[in-house]
Amino acid sequence: MKNAFLTIVAASLAMLAPATAFADDHTEVEKPKWSLAIHGGAGTILPENITPEQRVAYEAALQKALDAGSEVLKNGGSAMEAVQAAIIPMEDNPLFNAGRGAVFTWEGENELDASIMDGRDRSAGAVTGVKTVKNPILLADKVRTESPHVFLMGEGAEQFAGEQGFEVTPPEWFATKRRRESLERMKARALSALDVDLKFGTVGAVALDQEGNLAAGTSTGGMTGKRWGRIGDAPVIGAGTYADNRSCAVSATGWGEFFIRVGVAQEICTRLRLGPTLSELFERPEGERGFISNPTSLVDPQVVASTAQSTADAVMAEVKELGGDGGIILVTPEGHTIYSFNTAGMYRGRANSDGLNEVAIFGGEGEAAASNTPDH
């Protein structure tokens, strides 16, 4: 009931506003809206650390994923379909730490994690520690739709995959020379995963479809040299992935232990869903971000976008305070796409039905430059 009054006011104001579309021959009906955002990892991503050729390759890979998801949404496909369509090209691309190109465990294996969530009914599926599934995001969705469970691990997840008709993919599909060298360097110099991996290459996507439904998905190979069956945030519903039509859809990338402790993805969505009351909004200092001086602005799209941005930034600030880093992508029910990261860069992109189409790598690029607060 906390936010009921605010909701009533917004609805009343919306009713008083002029109609924007009519079902007659004289007024153009507003087109259905869709939005998509993707990420391919965050971390110490600086221009001096990437060659021009590498930059071109990453931007092309991001654009390919963005195009795949956008095509689904343009043609009236669901947010769930778009999320999978966007993630699969990144799982198949060795530039990213997901599927092919995943990092190696301490034992020299590639173990894959993924999760997906539907904002319509908050149904979700997740897998961890799988070694023979080419596209773990597809298996995560099968867990959601074809099993009574949410989260499957290891051999059990692979048994389920076989029963669902997934082909067994051999280890050599996932292994790459670059990732093996990272593990060898880590062992030889007694380094941490953060010393050999300057970025977290987890991939993810969030989408709003033309029906107004939200979805989120995330896929990763984890951290170089992970031991003892370590599991990060990517397959954990509420930490690395969350979607709720009432608030937002989020996919995260970063130092998983901290994202789990904060419950980043659900924390952002919950804060947006509950929100402040009108009295709390009026009590904010005039200069504070998100201050609302006029109730009519409750229906202002820019206020909605600003609130989503400030909420995401606040949660990412908590991650930073605890010692973690990384970033998130977010989409709201109104179609706003938001980035928030506390690292030097994040591989990212977004597109929508209004013609927005951008990919970016470094902090300060694109329309979301203000959301970046680098630590290093």
Side-chain angles (χ1 to χ4, degrees), residues 138-297:
L138 296 180
L139 180 58
D141 195 48
K142 282 293 185 181
V143 173
R144 181 184 71 89
T145 60
E146 303 299 330
S147 85
H149 307 302
V150 169
F151 203 169
L152 302 182
M153 63 174 284
E155 292 182 4
E158 294 190 346
Q159 179 183 344
F160 174 75
E163 294 173 0
Q164 294 299 315
F166 283 78
E167 294 183 3
V168 174
T169 303
E172 53 265 29
W173 164 260
F174 305 103
T176 61
K177 180 180 179 182
R178 179 168 66 108
R179 299 301 192 186
R180 193 176 294 279
E181 288 175 347
S182 293
L183 177 64
E184 291 171 354
R185 189 165 69 253
M186 177 183 184
K187 288 185 173 182
R189 303 180 188 176
L191 301 173
S192 73
L194 299 181
D195 292 318
V196 297
D197 288 328
L198 297 178
K199 66 179 181 64
F200 305 97
T202 296
V203 306
V206 294
L208 167 74
D209 63 32
Q210 294 186 31
E211 299 297 321
N213 296 314
L214 302 176
T218 313
S219 182
T220 190
M223 298 183 78
T224 298
K226 60 183 180 181
R227 306 177 75 175
W228 311 298
R230 179 264 185 188
I231 301 170
D233 66 301
V236 179
I237 300 299
T241 301
Y242 201 75
D244 185 342
N245 276 9
R246 299 172 297 175
S247 55
C248 68
V250 173
S251 174
T253 174
W255 195 341
E257 281 70 13
F258 294 93
F259 280 68
I260 291 172
R261 289 164 59 186
V262 175
V264 167
Q266 186 174 10
E267 179 72 8
I268 293 171
C269 289
T270 299
R271 290 190 189 188
L272 286 175
R273 178 169 61 86
L274 298 180
T277 64
L278 279 176
S279 61
E280 290 171 335
L281 289 168
F282 285 125
E283 288 169 2
R284 291 183 184 180
E286 186 69 38
E288 185 174 321
R289 188 175 190 179
F291 172 77
I292 296 177
S293 58
N294 184 342
T296 60
S297 64

Side-chain angles (χ1 to χ4, degrees), residues 28-68:
E28 183 180 351
V29 176
E30 185 178 347
K31 294 180 180 179
K33 297 172 65 174
W34 60 265
S35 292
L36 175 71
I38 63 170
H39 70 74
T44 309
I45 306 170
L46 299 168
E48 57 266 32
N49 294 335
I50 297 179
T51 67
E53 294 77 15
Q54 289 173 325
R55 177 170 185 167
V56 169
Y58 273 107
E59 289 176 343
L62 290 168
Q63 190 63 59
K64 182 178 180 180
L66 197 61
D67 289 345

